[in-house]
Amino acid sequence: MLNLDCPLLKPILILEDDPSAQARIHNILKTFGYLDDDLFFSQTIEKAKQIHEQNTIGLFLVDLNLPDGCGIEFIQSLRQRHEQNVPVMVLSAWNSIETIYKALTVGARGYVLKERDDVEVMFAIRTMLKGEAIIDPGIAKEILKKLHLTQIRAEISADANIQANLSSRELEILNFIASGFSSREISEKIHISRFTVDVHIKKVYQKLQVNSRTKAVHLAKQIGLLS
């Protein structure tokens, strides 16, 4: 059985318009030891704001799909009032990564899907009561996957920028460097002065952010400038 021994943040404001979901949350919170007087239920954002203005809330449980707007707007309004330390947990059926990102960005510390069973929801609430953050395991997996893809795209974009920044002449000289040609030999091959070759090599170093031929060739191969 889940250990529910944790400090109780009081009162709790539950922003949820579905009566059956309200009843479920009510029963879960009673299991923690909350009394009816510790709980405020609201079906709309407007009423939740009124309750909040009249009471010092210890924890917010917020749904997103509400009759008068999105719960994200409510969370944002809390943070705009400089209430950074009041924990907010989203309990919603919405599982799109974009929505989850937005909720977390505006200030939610937890995000749990309604489809989870009571024990999982209880674990999430206990985590919030202990001052920690909680993200639904299924959501966390998708977020990590998206972060990984974002990192890969950023690396590809950076590599493409490097390749785009190198002129055709610089790429030509880089290939000669990779083949082991000296500056004098390169100058003879492409009929420009050795001084001009060295200027091009210096620019290649600057654009690749390296300081030697070996490093330039190694990096160029890593990012696909050289085969």
Side-chain angles (χ1 to χ4, degrees), residues 97 101 142-158:
I97 297 299
Y101 262 120
E142 290 302 314
I143 289 177
L144 288 173
K145 189 186 299 180
K146 181 165 183 176
L147 286 173
H148 180 62
L149 289 174
T150 301
Q151 182 180 3
I152 291 174
R153 290 192 189 107
E155 290 172 355
I156 291 173
S157 177

Side-chain angles (χ1 to χ4, degrees), residues 162 203-212 215-216 219:
I162 290 174
K203 287 182 179 178
V204 170
Y205 288 176
Q206 289 173 342
K207 292 179 179 180
L208 296 181
Q209 298 181 6
V210 296
N211 57 12
S212 72
K215 290 179 181 178
L219 178 58

Side-chain angles (χ1 to χ4, degrees), residues 16-50:
E16 170 60 67
D17 66 316
D18 182 3
S20 62
Q22 285 190 356
R24 180 193 182 197
I25 295 170
H26 181 267
N27 290 333
I28 287 174
L29 293 174
K30 282 184 65 177
T31 305
F32 279 90
Y34 282 101
L35 305 175
D36 288 345
D37 290 343
D38 300 324
L39 309 176
F40 292 104
F41 285 89
S42 174
Q43 293 185 326
T44 65
I45 293 173
E46 187 59 35
K47 183 181 177 183
K49 287 181 177 179
Q50 293 173 5

